[in-house]
Amino acid sequence: AQTVTQSQPEMSVQEAETVTLSCTYDTSESNYYLFWYKQPPSRQMILVIRQEAYKQQNATENRFSVNFQKAAKSFSLKISDSQLGDTAMYFCASLSAGGYQKVTFGIGTKLQVIP
Amino acid sequence: GAVVSQHPSRVICKSGTSVKIECRSLDFQATTMFWYRQFPKKSLMLMATSNEGSKATYEQGVEKDKFLINHASLTLSTLTVTSAHPEDSSFYICSAPSRPGGFTYNEQFFGPGTRLTVL
């Protein structure tokens, strides 16, 4: 079984500043994938960034990057140059590379970008 | 990317009635779809896995007779909340996997969700 833990229920950041959201996970799988999803007030789940566990290089997508520490089972999300549109719930999630495609979500971090 | 739609986006019903929610993969086929329930300010809770042409697989604690799932085609799964009660009021989200080109896994594409309110 996989578990995903997000220990920051709420965070805030000034516009244009940088913020880091924390996530730890636990899995018995040897290969898996990790994700950060964004859920804005519209409630539509949007994939922000993905990381394949077998890749050592941290994933980057424009202003979003991750710090993937496999040994520590840590997967934090860094948002640079925060924008008002980044205000949303952020969910860390994991997916086993095996045949079963269930995604396990953390409880989420509510991020507020302050103008 | 792949698109998943849900219908209706909002539904209000009286207690005791049944409500059907549709989830469609618009530009790809999905032999498997997932149904989630999300309470206010909470995470997504997986309710069941919908399997095309066979029975759905329910997560522990989810009532099969309350939440009927039918996956009749490769692009459509339906969730029927039977004899709905106020405690069934929630936000229901479906997802379907599709494998983007060059990836080794199936990425989940989410529908926009359905807000159910039971009076």
Side-chain angles (χ1 to χ4, degrees):
Chain A
Q2 300 186 63
T3 60
V4 178
T5 303
Q6 293 178 252
S7 58
Q8 304 155 314
E10 295 189 25
M11 294 190 72
S12 62
V13 62
Q14 290 290 138
E15 192 175 7
E17 296 295 309
T18 296
V19 64
T20 299
L21 279 57
S22 301
C23 172
T24 59
Y25 63 93
D26 194 13
T27 179
S28 57
E29 301 289 333
S30 58
N31 195 18
Y32 50 91
Y33 305 92
L34 298 168
F35 309 90
W36 279 97
Y37 285 93
K38 169 184 176 181
Q39 189 180 42
S42 69
R43 308 293 291 273
Q44 173 73 59
M45 294 288 285
I46 301 167
L47 178 65
V48 174
I49 198 165
R50 65 173 71 83
Q51 174 80 43
E52 294 164 274
Y54 65 86
K55 290 186 176 179
Q56 292 184 336
Q57 187 174 5
N58 289 326
T60 299
E61 287 286 343
N62 301 314
R63 298 183 295 108
F64 300 88
S65 61
V66 299
N67 183 4
F68 175 46
Q69 301 290 326
K70 191 171 184 177
K73 295 184 177 177
S74 171
F75 183 62
S76 61
L77 173 70
K78 186 172 81 171
I79 305 174
S80 304
D81 186 25
S82 297
Q83 301 176 0
L84 296 178
D86 295 333
T87 293
M89 282 289 291
Y90 286 82
F91 294 99
C92 181
S94 68
L95 170 68
S96 169
Y100 203 49
Q101 302 164 74
K102 277 203 300 187
V103 176
T104 302
F105 288 91
I107 63 171
T109 296
K110 183 178 180 181
L111 177 66
Q112 180 75 41
V113 179
I114 302 168
Chain B
V3 179
V4 174
S5 69
Q6 274 184 249
H7 178 80
S9 57
R10 289 176 177 265
V11 58
I12 301 173
C13 69
K14 293 182 179 179
S15 186
T17 61
S18 294
V19 174
K20 180 184 287 187
I21 302 170
E22 294 184 347
C23 177
R24 292 182 185 273
S25 56
L26 297 185
D27 50 0
F28 66 101
Q29 295 182 333
T31 57
T32 302
M33 291 184 177
F34 299 91
W35 287 96
Y36 297 86
R37 182 173 180 176
Q38 186 179 30
F39 291 100
K41 300 181 181 180
K42 299 292 185 182
S43 187
L44 280 70
M45 182 189 77
L46 180 65
M47 299 174 64
T49 303
S50 174
N51 303 300
E52 189 269 335
S54 64
K55 291 182 179 180
T57 305
Y58 290 83
E59 296 299 302
Q60 191 173 11
V62 177
E63 297 177 62
K64 300 178 182 181
D65 296 332
K66 159 69 79 175
F67 299 101
L68 299 180
I69 291 173
N70 184 24
H71 196 146
S73 76
L74 289 171
T75 59
L76 174 64
S77 174
T78 59
L79 168 68
T80 301
V81 183
T82 62
S83 186
H85 288 94
E87 57 265 30
D88 299 324
S89 297
S90 192
F91 193 69
Y92 293 88
I93 302 174
C94 71
S95 73
S98 180
R99 181 163 297 189
F103 286 102
T104 58
Y105 73 99
N106 288 312
E107 182 173 328
Q108 293 291 336
F109 292 90
F110 290 86
T114 296
R115 181 176 300 282
L116 170 63
T117 303
V118 184
L119 303 176

